[in-house]
Structure formats: C-alpha cells, structure tokens
Amino acid sequence: MKKPELLAPAGNLTKLKIALQYGADAVYASVGSFSLRARSGKEFDLESFEKGVNLTHKSNKKFYATLNAFPFNGQLEPMKKHIKKMSEFGVDAFIVATPAVMKMAKEIAPNTDLHISTQANIMNYLDAQIYHEMGASRIVAAREMSLKDAVLIKEKLPNLEIEAFCHGSMCFAYSGRCLISAVQSGRFSNRGACANDCRFKYELYAKSDENNTLFRLEQNENGTHIFNSKDLNLVSHIDEIIKSQAIDSLKIEGRTKSEYYVACATNAYRNAIDDSIENKFNAQIYQNELKTLKNRGFTDGYLVARPFERTNTQNLLTSISNGSSQVHAFSEDGLHFRVKFKIIPNENYEIFAPKSAKIQTIKNEIGEIFNQNGKYFMKFNKIISSTNKEFSEIHSGNINEIKSPCAVPEFSFLRREIEFC
C-alpha cells in the first residue's frame, strides 16, 4: 500500500521546524507578494527562507515554494527574478496557478517540478492532462473534486501526482474565487490579501425607494454568519483515501495559523496515515486531538460527498470557537517556556510533544514532570524566569521565558482541557 506524503504549512521558520518535528514529509511556504498568503510571506525574508529550505533538505524532507497569486503586467518581471532566486535556493517544486507563471518557471528553472495550485480549479482528467502535457508533475485538486474523480484521473494519468487538502479553513466561494474582500476592503483574495470578510457577522436590511424606508430583517435561529464555512476535517476518511491509491499528497491548510495548530494538525494526520498503513486506524483518537484546536466547527467537505448533497458545511453562529484545550505555554528549545495564556503554581499542564519524543519524569525545586494514564504532565512549584526572577504567576503579556523543571523535547507545548459550563 502506497503511503501518501503529508504536506504541512510553514508560515515562518519556527512553524517550519515544528512541522518537520511533528511528522511532515514536506512543507510549503512563500516569501514576498507572489503567493495567496501575503501576510505569511512577510514572516520570511530571503535569508530565513533559504535557511528553511536547507533545514528541510537536511531532514530529508521536501520544500515547495508557493507562487500561486495572479500577477498583473507590472509584476511579471519581478516574478521572473523571484523564480530565479527560489530556484537558486533549491526548492523542490513551485506551486503555480497560471499558464504564464508555468511558462516562466519552465524557462528559468527547468529542473524544478511544477505543481498546479487548487486555484486552477482542476476537477477532471482532461484539464489535468493539459497541465500534465504542459509540464506539471502534480495537480492540487480543487476542493470541490470528489475522491471518485481523483481515482478516474489517476487511472487516466498514472504518472501525474494528485495532492488534496485534508484539513483547514474553507472558502465559501467556488475554489476561493471570491471578491467580497476586494469590494469591502480593497484587499484582493486572489492576490494574497484576503481580509476574511466571509467570517464577519452580517445583518440584512430592506429598503424601499418609494418612501425611503429602511428596516432590519428579523432573523431566525440560523444566525448571522451567512457566508462562514466550517473547517475541513478529513481525518476520519484517511483510511478510505489511502486505500483508493489515488491521492499522492495530503495537504494541511494554515500558513497564517498558530504554532500549536501546525503541531497538532500535523501530528494527528501523521498518526492517522501511519496507523492506516499498519492496519490499526482509529479515527476517534485523531478527532479527539483535532478538537483541541480552535475551529469553526468541522465538515468533511466534498472529497467524499458532492457539494450539492451537503447541508452542514456552514457555521452560521460564530466565526471561531475555542477547541477543547487551551495552550498555556510553548518551548522552542526545550529548556524555557514562552507563556501563551497563563502559568500558575501547583496546576497540572499536559505536555504535548512530537510523537517520537522521549520525556523523563522528575521532581525538583522548580517543579515536576509525571506520567498519568499514559500522558505526561508538568507542574510548577516555582515560576522562575530565564533571568532568575521569580513570579507568583505569569500571563501571556509577560515576555519573560520561564524555566522548565528539566529539559523536555524541543517544540513542546503545555495545554489544559477547557472546562465548559
């Protein structure tokens, strides 16, 4: 059974390291204004981007550079220079959305693979064939494409790789072809600057030109977030997807999301893929982990059901909800924690760490680490900063890092379940 690649988002250098530590086979990232996540592109400069490529290759993983924005005439020459620079860094592939960018990439970097972005809306084997003949080694399937269609494309074009989104934010518009942000904010979604206007709360009004009356329409229990899609979550279908042998890469959305999101989502899908290959797949385990993330509610999207058959893909009540856990602290070096919420003495915090990490139990003046029902927890007796200042408690606004009772795995998190009333 062929194991699909797990492709994780790398919004910055730290998130890239997290993705690799938590089990990604490949990462995707951008720098500058030539991708559909301009904000995350600003978190990389050329120096850190090159470092990220080198770190990824040192881990024997792959690095894909996103160039999937839609360029204006004035950006064509800068795009050429950008492609050349990315090629010099040694990226493994370009993710592109337009034939013009494909043509430039083939001329400037003929040895770099081309992946066709989901923005190209590929849903059938003839479109896929055209891009394959133009030089694409992979298509990123439109989110509206079904698994049955992916199977047919693979039968028709066995040498063309198919990448599919498995988790993350969904656009309410067809394959992200949205203009609301441009109309309301002057920020163009297909140029990397979407303001996520679809997540806002809206009220509906009616106006009569005859008497200039304006009144608010009363709304029922369906709520006011009328454009707001739930988040994609296909982890329960990973076993089915792998058995189809049609999907070569499973992609997690989220370059602008938190460090914990990258860690948790990558970890859950890593375990799901590995367990499926080893015939011990248990969807509830992975779902329990993903439910710790902030989300808009989950939907399994359209890969396993047609869009017109779905009535549960929208969250009409809220733009974002807390997950089942709150992240309280994060450690990049394993020795010190940066507080993300709050740390209080004598409280137990679960340690969330990479799958292969080794955690030792200990008890000393600063605190203790102990195992309870197969999970590791940390408790602080004293809260001591890296500069040896002691605190009675510490909150996220405080930039002081605090000492761990002992070394824990790099990129570990401390979390607690949220008690809902």
Side-chain angles (χ1 to χ4, degrees), residues 203-206 215-219:
E203 294 182 345
L204 302 180
Y205 290 82
F215 62 92
R216 181 178 179 272
L217 299 180
E218 294 295 327
Q219 293 173 310

Side-chain angles (χ1 to χ4, degrees), residues 150-165:
V151 170
L152 181 58
I153 292 173
K154 181 61 72 171
E155 289 175 354
K156 297 282 187 179
L157 302 163
N159 295 323
L160 178 65
E161 295 182 349
I162 300 176
E163 177 181 307
F165 281 94

Side-chain angles (χ1 to χ4, degrees), residues 286-322:
Y286 327 124
Q287 288 289 7
N288 288 342
E289 275 300 313
L290 292 172
K291 286 175 183 176
T292 69
L293 294 171
K294 290 184 177 181
N295 62 82
R296 301 180 181 95
F298 289 129
T299 173
D300 54 10
Y302 308 127
L303 194 68
V304 293
R306 294 290 188 180
F308 57 81
E309 297 172 343
R310 307 312 305 269
T311 59
N312 66 340
T313 59
Q314 285 183 283
N315 181 345
L316 299 169
L317 299 176
T318 177
S319 61
I320 195 83
S321 298
N322 284 325

Side-chain angles (χ1 to χ4, degrees), residues 125-236:
Y125 66 84
L126 286 179
D127 282 337
Q129 182 179 14
I130 289 171
Y131 281 109
H132 192 31
E133 290 172 351
M134 290 171 64
S137 61
R138 175 185 295 189
I139 61 168
V140 186
R143 281 178 168 87
E144 294 81 9
M145 192 176 78
S146 71
L147 187 58
K148 289 181 180 178
D149 287 326
V151 170
L152 181 58
I153 292 173
K154 181 61 72 171
E155 289 175 354
K156 297 282 187 179
L157 302 163
N159 295 323
L160 178 65
E161 295 182 349
I162 300 176
E163 177 181 307
F165 281 94
C166 63
H167 198 91
S169 296
M170 293 273 282
C171 182
F172 89 96
Y174 179 80
S175 288
R177 299 286 183 153
C178 175
L179 294 175
I180 290 182
S181 178
V183 171
Q184 295 194 155
S185 310
R187 292 170 56 175
F188 293 84
S189 59
N190 285 322
R191 299 189 53 72
C194 180
N196 289 310
D197 295 74
C198 59
R199 310 302 182 194
F200 297 169
K201 180 178 179 179
Y202 290 92
E203 294 182 345
L204 302 180
Y205 290 82
K207 182 178 182 294
S208 170
D209 290 332
E210 292 184 3
N211 56 19
N212 206 34
T213 299
L214 179 69
F215 62 92
R216 181 178 179 272
L217 299 180
E218 294 295 327
Q219 293 173 310
N220 60 21
E221 66 278 2
N222 286 334
T224 57
H225 291 82
I226 56 178
F227 302 117
N228 183 39
S229 173
K230 293 179 180 178
D231 292 339
L232 179 66
N233 178 342
L234 285 177
V235 79
S236 293

